Amino acid sequence: DFLHSSSAPVNLMATDVLHHPSEQELLKKIADLQRDLTTERQRNSLLHEELKALRTANVHLQAEVEQEEEFISNKLTKRLAELQNEKERLAMEVELEEEFLTNTLQKKLDEVKRSKIDLENQLEQEQEYITNKLQKQLEKVMAEKHELEKLLEENASNLMEKLLERLRGEQLQASKSVSVAEEKLIAR
């Protein structure tokens, strides 16, 4: 049954058995198979390098995402600090004005207090808006990062499975050819 297999290399080998190929022909076939195996190993090495490059690109992409997150965080922290300083400055002004104002200026003082409350409300709304906006941006970046990681893992896994399956098939075929050649040599 092995000699009547449907694969082309085995059929050629079966025909060669009937014609009793010379040792030199068998050695040439072995050398060809070894050269093919070397070529496949080189291709496998190139694919490993490509996978390594993809992983490196993924690391760089993650670093960029982290830098962007840090930039956004720093920007928000700076803005919050500015707003806090402004709030503190306004509070100090109000306190100083309260010390120096007389009863005749009480109406003006009440206006300043209302202005302060409005500014605090506006500040709070702005902080909430900025926080919500940055949270949405962060969620979007994290979702994109997750999708890219998932895609990279799927591509790498599929590629490795295909390569391993192909390499196993070619190794099995090469092994069969070498076995037939060895059997011929032993039969002599």
Side-chain angles (χ1 to χ4, degrees):
D1 285 43
F2 183 72
L3 292 176
H4 299 293
S5 171
S6 64
S7 76
V10 175
N11 282 340
L12 288 175
M13 294 302 282
T15 305
D16 289 344
V17 169
L18 296 177
H19 291 90
H20 300 290
S22 70
E23 184 177 337
Q24 186 177 11
E25 290 173 330
L26 290 175
L27 289 174
K28 182 183 181 305
K29 287 183 182 180
I30 289 172
D32 289 345
L33 289 172
Q34 288 175 340
R35 189 171 45 254
D36 291 346
L37 181 58
T38 300
T39 300
E40 287 304 315
R41 284 181 178 157
Q42 289 171 346
R43 284 176 37 200
N44 187 32
S45 177
L46 289 174
L47 289 171
H48 278 291
E49 288 299 318
E50 185 178 337
L51 180 59
K52 184 178 175 182
L54 286 172
R55 286 183 177 151
T56 300
N58 185 37
V59 168
H60 290 306
L61 181 60
Q62 288 177 354
E64 288 177 14
V65 168
E66 288 174 7
Q67 286 177 345
E68 182 66 21
E69 289 171 356
E70 186 176 346
F71 171 77
I72 290 169
S73 177
N74 290 342
K75 187 176 178 182
L76 178 59
T77 302
K78 182 180 177 183
R79 178 67 176 139
L80 288 174
E82 290 172 357
L83 291 172
Q84 186 63 35
N85 288 340
E86 178 69 14
K87 179 180 171 182
E88 290 173 7
R89 187 185 64 76
L90 288 172
M92 286 174 56
E93 284 181 9
V94 169
E95 280 182 26
L96 289 174
E97 285 181 11
E98 285 177 344
E99 287 180 25
F100 295 109
L101 289 177
T102 63
N103 289 336
T104 59
L105 298 175
Q106 188 62 44
K107 186 177 180 182
K108 180 69 174 169
L109 180 60
D110 291 339
E111 281 182 23
V112 171
K113 286 181 179 181
R114 280 193 299 275
S115 176
K116 176 185 168 193
I117 290 170
D118 290 342
L119 284 172
E120 288 175 347
N121 288 339
Q122 184 181 355
L123 172 64
E124 186 176 318
Q125 289 174 357
E126 190 173 340
Q127 287 174 338
E128 186 175 334
Y129 171 76
I130 290 170
T131 301
N132 290 340
K133 183 177 178 182
L134 290 174
Q135 183 64 35
K136 287 177 185 177
Q137 289 175 349
L138 180 60
E139 288 171 2
K140 181 180 177 185
V141 167
M142 293 304 288
E144 290 173 356
K145 176 183 170 187
H146 177 71
E147 286 299 319
L148 287 172
E149 288 174 343
K150 183 177 175 184
L151 181 62
L152 179 63
E153 286 177 15
E154 288 174 2
N155 287 343
S157 177
N158 290 339
L159 182 61
M160 287 303 292
E161 285 177 17
K162 287 178 184 177
L163 288 172
L164 288 174
E165 182 178 307
R166 183 174 176 185
L167 189 59
R168 284 188 193 120
E170 291 175 0
Q171 285 176 338
L172 180 62
Q173 187 177 0
S175 177
K176 286 180 182 179
S177 298
V178 169
S179 294
V180 169
E182 289 173 352
E183 287 175 10
K184 288 181 191 177
L185 288 173
I186 292 171
R188 295 181 119 220

